[in-house]
Amino acid sequence: MREAKEQADARERAVTTSLLLRPGEAFQKLWRASMQTKTLLATLADEKSGKTIWLGFLALTDRRLAFLEEVGLFTKTYRVKESIDLENLINISVQGVSKKLYVTYQAGGNSVERMFGGTSGSTLLEIQSEIQETRAARVNIIEHEKKQARVQYVLDFSFLKDQMEKGGIMVSTIRCPNYGGTLALPSTGVSVRCGHCQSDVVAQDIFERMRGLLGNLP
């Protein structure tokens, strides 16, 4: 058992090295598998199709799903045959009489399908679930990064007034959110002091209240 584990660990290290993890990318799981680029019927119908089945390993990281072909009889080496960014996955399903894992992904504006079988250590449904969960986590991270990267507006009353006028909104007074009294809308500056409660009314706060009306801003 110990020897088998050591061999598995060594193989995992070799595969991970061949995968060339990107900065910050974390290895998740490895399954022995075969990969098909065409169904058997499609292969038989196309005499010039060439090789369509490879043996190797299906590897999952927190960013990619990859297939590495195993090469060599005694000394094993691994080369990446397929590398799919998780956010580009369209569909993952278990299909067919022989039960294969069908993976469809987007590449260069086209949908590409790959079939994986002969997996060991986990059922196809377990593998499907792990890939789907990892993809969902990756998509959430990407969406969060997009939100963080959005332009942050440094608003002053001049900018706010200009945007309101572009939207067909004419406002000459604003209401103090603390006191409730009306204030003249300044032409410049990032804040104005309420003469009643002495609190500062900030242009950014007014913008947030009117965001729904200023539809031309994100």
Side-chain angles (χ1 to χ4, degrees), residues 176-181 183 193-201:
C176 173
N178 296 313
Y179 178 78
L183 303 170
R193 177 155 295 186
C194 175
H196 300 282
C197 66
Q198 302 303 309
S199 64
D200 288 330
V201 180

Side-chain angles (χ1 to χ4, degrees), residues 7-80:
Q7 290 177 348
D9 290 343
R11 182 171 58 238
E12 183 176 304
R13 287 193 297 271
V15 171
T16 304
T17 300
S18 301
L19 189 54
L20 297 176
L21 294 177
R22 301 165 184 170
E25 185 177 15
F27 177 79
Q28 302 279 77
K29 205 70 180 285
L30 186 70
W31 302 278
R32 180 173 286 281
S34 62
M35 182 182 76
Q36 285 180 245
T37 55
K38 288 185 177 182
T39 63
L40 181 59
L41 288 176
T43 302
L44 293 174
D46 184 2
E47 296 179 355
K48 298 180 180 180
S49 62
K51 187 175 181 179
T52 60
I53 301 177
W54 290 266
L55 301 178
F57 289 89
L58 185 62
L60 178 66
T61 77
D62 61 347
R63 299 185 187 182
R64 287 182 289 163
L65 181 66
F67 180 81
L68 296 95
E69 180 186 12
E70 186 176 60
V71 182
L73 293 176
F74 302 106
T75 302
K76 304 293 185 182
T77 58
Y78 305 92
R79 57 189 179 197
V80 178

Side-chain angles (χ1 to χ4, degrees), residues 7-207:
Q7 290 177 348
D9 290 343
R11 182 171 58 238
E12 183 176 304
R13 287 193 297 271
V15 171
T16 304
T17 300
S18 301
L19 189 54
L20 297 176
L21 294 177
R22 301 165 184 170
E25 185 177 15
F27 177 79
Q28 302 279 77
K29 205 70 180 285
L30 186 70
W31 302 278
R32 180 173 286 281
S34 62
M35 182 182 76
Q36 285 180 245
T37 55
K38 288 185 177 182
T39 63
L40 181 59
L41 288 176
T43 302
L44 293 174
D46 184 2
E47 296 179 355
K48 298 180 180 180
S49 62
K51 187 175 181 179
T52 60
I53 301 177
W54 290 266
L55 301 178
F57 289 89
L58 185 62
L60 178 66
T61 77
D62 61 347
R63 299 185 187 182
R64 287 182 289 163
L65 181 66
F67 180 81
L68 296 95
E69 180 186 12
E70 186 176 60
V71 182
L73 293 176
F74 302 106
T75 302
K76 304 293 185 182
T77 58
Y78 305 92
R79 57 189 179 197
V80 178
K81 292 293 294 182
E82 205 79 32
S83 179
I84 309 164
D85 289 337
L86 292 177
E87 62 270 23
N88 292 332
L89 289 175
I90 299 172
N91 185 57
I92 309 163
S93 59
V94 178
Q95 302 177 28
V97 177
S98 58
K99 295 298 180 185
K100 293 187 182 298
L101 185 70
Y102 283 69
V103 173
T104 307
Y105 66 96
Q106 195 77 17
N110 299 313
S111 294
V112 180
E113 186 176 70
R114 295 290 181 259
M115 293 152 280
F116 299 95
T119 55
S120 61
S122 301
T123 68
L124 289 175
L125 290 175
E126 288 172 338
I127 296 172
Q128 176 191 22
S129 178
E130 287 204 48
I131 296 172
Q132 288 173 332
E133 289 176 5
T134 307
R135 179 191 181 277
R138 177 59 181 162
V139 170
N140 285 337
I141 290 173
I142 291 173
E143 288 302 315
H144 177 71
E145 289 174 347
K146 285 181 179 178
K147 288 180 181 178
Q148 293 293 100
R150 284 179 182 168
V151 175
Q152 298 296 313
Y153 288 93
V154 179
L155 292 174
D156 61 12
F157 283 107
S158 174
F159 178 86
L160 180 61
K161 192 173 183 179
D162 180 61
Q163 293 301 315
M164 288 191 295
E165 289 176 354
K166 286 180 180 179
I169 304 170
M170 304 302 294
V171 177
S172 59
T173 60
I174 56 176
R175 188 175 296 277
C176 173
N178 296 313
Y179 178 78
T182 57
L183 303 170
L185 179 66
S187 298
T188 60
V190 296
S191 66
V192 60
R193 177 155 295 186
C194 175
H196 300 282
C197 66
Q198 302 303 309
S199 64
D200 288 330
V201 180
V202 182
Q204 180 71 46
D205 293 338
I206 303 301
F207 167 74

